[in-house]
Amino acid sequence: MTMPVLQASMPLHTLSKRLSLSSALTLLHTHRWRPLSCQMSADSFHLTHSITLPIQLAEPVQIVAAPGISESEFRTAINSSLFKQWLRNLQSETGILADNAMSLKRVLIQGVDMFGERIGFLKFKADIFDKETGKKVRVPVGRLILELPAGMLDDDKGDFVGTAAREVEEETGIHLNLEDMVDLTAFLDPVTGCRVFPSPGGCDEEISLFLYRGHVDKEIIMQLQGKETGLRDHGELIKVRVVPYKNLWRMTADAKVLMAIALYEMAKREGLLPP
């Protein structure tokens, strides 16, 4: 089995229109849409907005402005296409709320960066809880997607390989030998810094991507399929999905996957990979 493995470095700038969710793709039931109902209020301490999602009618969601957010910014944020799309993602066929196992309680609007008359970046914190465990989960895109194992450096020591191996073990249960890992981004021209920038026009997050090749028995693959992993105390909601490599590029919207495939294929074509 050939599996590209990647590791993201610590982002220096954390604002983003979209963040990635560490989770495998799960097919959930379809949902019919109904209009949102909402109520706005304001006082001298904070701004609040209440909405009722069609998918959880008995649980209204409170949207709150963080200190420093003006009433104009608050209204712009909750009426923006970015925020509305995130709410649609939550309730879509593959949305976090689709199977009624999760509940959205509260959204804190933390920052609004305007690009002229439109929102460039919207930063908010969502309180979504697993109803069974009561634990909070991270839901940046609002729905479940296929994603390669990934994580951030916890310090400035730059141990990309060690961090990548640790993340793979935490998120899949597979233990990797560090000496067998190949840094795919190291094949880039030195002028690039041998890192990949997913969105250089708006964020200086940089990523290193690694390849790990190994052979496993079919029984191991079967045991991995559907395995629930990740650090639930850290809000990770992960289910392992084993996908044939030839199909991978068409099955995910995760940019890290597509970058890993491109680097792997080019390095293989140029004969740069170790035997």
Side-chain angles (χ1 to χ4, degrees):
M1 179 180 69
T2 300
M3 179 177 66
V5 175
L6 58 88
Q7 168 59 34
S9 65
M10 180 178 294
L12 302 177
H13 182 60
T14 57
L15 293 178
S16 177
K17 292 182 181 178
R18 303 283 192 274
L19 300 177
S20 62
L21 171 65
S22 294
S23 178
L25 177 64
T26 303
L27 295 180
L28 306 174
H29 61 75
T30 57
H31 168 71
R32 290 187 178 181
W33 288 92
R34 284 181 288 180
L36 298 176
S37 63
C38 59
Q39 180 178 2
M40 175 78 78
S41 67
D43 57 34
S44 58
F45 298 102
H46 59 265
L47 297 164
T48 65
H49 179 64
S50 178
I51 62 174
T52 301
L53 301 178
I55 206 165
Q56 55 173 56
L57 291 174
E59 302 176 82
V61 180
Q62 292 298 314
I63 306 175
V64 182
I69 300 295
S70 68
E71 182 176 353
S72 174
E73 290 174 327
F74 186 54
R75 290 179 180 273
T76 299
I78 60 180
N79 290 321
S80 68
S81 59
L82 289 177
F83 189 62
K84 291 179 179 178
Q85 181 60 56
W86 180 75
L87 290 175
R88 286 194 292 269
N89 287 345
L90 288 176
Q91 302 172 92
S92 66
E93 184 178 354
T94 57
I96 292 296
L97 303 180
D99 63 357
N100 202 36
M102 305 289 170
S103 176
L104 173 61
K105 300 292 188 181
R106 180 176 180 267
V107 176
L108 177 66
I109 304 296
Q110 298 174 307
V112 182
D113 286 358
M114 303 298 296
F115 288 4
E117 296 182 354
R118 63 183 180 86
I119 290 183
F121 296 105
L122 173 60
K123 182 182 179 182
F124 59 87
K125 179 181 178 182
D127 292 337
I128 295 185
F129 295 89
D130 185 320
K131 292 182 179 180
E132 181 178 353
T133 65
K135 295 184 179 297
K136 189 183 297 187
V137 297
R138 298 201 309 258
V139 289
V141 298
R143 59 187 177 89
L144 302 175
I145 65 171
L146 280 174
E147 181 184 1
L148 287 180
M152 296 189 297
L153 290 178
D154 295 329
D155 51 46
D156 58 0
K157 295 181 180 179
D159 182 16
F160 288 90
V161 178
T163 304
R166 186 189 70 240
E167 292 290 339
V168 169
E169 188 162 3
E170 288 178 356
E171 297 185 3
T172 68
I174 300 174
H175 176 74
L176 305 183
N177 298 318
L178 299 185
E179 59 273 16
D180 294 329
M181 296 183 68
V182 179
D183 185 352
L184 293 175
T185 41
F187 297 131
L188 296 173
D189 191 290
V191 72
T192 66
C194 296
R195 298 283 187 271
V196 176
F197 291 88
S199 184
C203 179
D204 60 1
E205 178 186 20
E206 55 183 28
I207 294 177
S208 290
L209 301 107
F210 295 88
L211 168 71
Y212 186 89
R213 295 177 294 183
H215 298 277
V216 296
D217 294 333
K218 182 179 179 180
E219 290 74 16
I220 300 297
I221 294 178
M222 297 301 294
Q223 292 172 10
L224 287 172
Q225 195 72 270
K227 180 179 179 181
E228 294 188 1
T229 63
L231 304 177
R232 287 301 178 95
D233 290 341
H234 293 182
E236 293 180 343
L237 179 65
I238 300 173
K239 184 175 290 186
V240 178
R241 176 88 174 270
V242 181
V243 177
Y245 176 70
K246 66 178 182 178
N247 301 334
L248 181 59
W249 72 277
R250 302 187 67 180
M251 298 182 66
T252 177
D254 178 23
K256 301 186 301 299
V257 174
L258 303 179
M259 290 187 292
I261 291 173
L263 287 174
Y264 170 69
E265 291 295 338
M266 295 303 295
K268 183 172 65 171
R269 190 182 77 174
E270 298 292 325
L272 299 175
L273 298 176

